[in-house]
Amino acid sequence: MVRMPQIDADTVAEHRARQRNALLDTAREILLSDGYDALTFGALGERTGLARNSVYRYFASRDEVIAELCEREAPAWSDAIDRAMEPRAQLEMLIAGHHELGAVLQHAPMGPPARKRITALTHAPTAQLSEALRAEGHTRPDITAELVQGLVAAAFRLLQDRRGQAREIVASTVAAARHIVGAR
């Protein structure tokens, strides 16, 4: 007798969406706890209660899982930038640990399609800031946005090594960014 899988939602589409989210949640956990190499479809299946081959119904490759995971998390960065329109929001997210996935994936051997999708996400804050500066009449919004994002990237690296100095790093970065933005 063949046993049919249980659907724990009102519709198949809702069930698939829940399963997909559970796989993404689990992928994040694996990446953060065990690193890139530990993220396999076997590990995803085992931790979510699916057969390894069932994971392939949701994702074609590990790169696809990672790219979609990053795309799912990107709106939090975008919302923070919209709310604050300054690097403090991004830095506060870094301090809260939202950067950990990026740190794990920074040197992961992903293929060009996944890397391209993730790179597009990392450039979104610069574009958002540039648009906000342009709307405020800033004379060099693109250059200014790139410089501010460079400061945020430098702070990201410092925060990885000097967590005990987080408040000082944030304060210095914000002061420098405000100076750059103010220099029209």
Side-chain angles (χ1 to χ4, degrees), residues 86-165:
E86 65 175 48
R88 180 180 301 279
Q90 291 180 69
L91 296 172
E92 293 295 336
M93 291 182 73
L94 293 174
I95 291 168
H98 292 281
H99 71 290
E100 293 169 339
L101 186 59
V104 169
L105 298 175
Q106 191 171 17
H107 301 293
M110 290 180 280
R115 187 64 69 189
K116 184 177 180 179
R117 285 169 69 182
I118 294 168
T119 298
L121 296 171
T122 62
H123 290 295
T126 306
Q128 271 183 279
L129 181 57
S130 179
E131 277 306 309
L133 291 169
R134 186 174 283 107
E136 290 184 4
H138 205 283
T139 56
R140 296 182 175 221
D142 295 341
I143 292 171
T144 303
E146 288 286 346
L147 290 170
V148 169
Q149 286 307 117
L151 283 170
V152 172
F156 169 78
R157 289 189 301 276
L158 285 171
L159 286 169
Q160 287 180 303
D161 297 333
R162 303 179 191 179
R163 286 215 45 90
Q165 295 177 298

Side-chain angles (χ1 to χ4, degrees), residues 50-65:
L50 293 173
R52 183 173 81 64
N53 63 342
S54 293
V55 177
Y56 283 98
R57 292 183 190 153
Y58 297 91
F59 301 100
S61 67
R62 171 171 45 182
D63 282 0
E64 185 181 340
V65 172

Side-chain angles (χ1 to χ4, degrees), residues 19-30:
Q19 289 288 77
R20 190 174 197 88
N21 278 322
L23 288 165
L24 291 171
D25 291 343
T26 302
R28 186 179 200 289
E29 291 169 14
I30 292 170

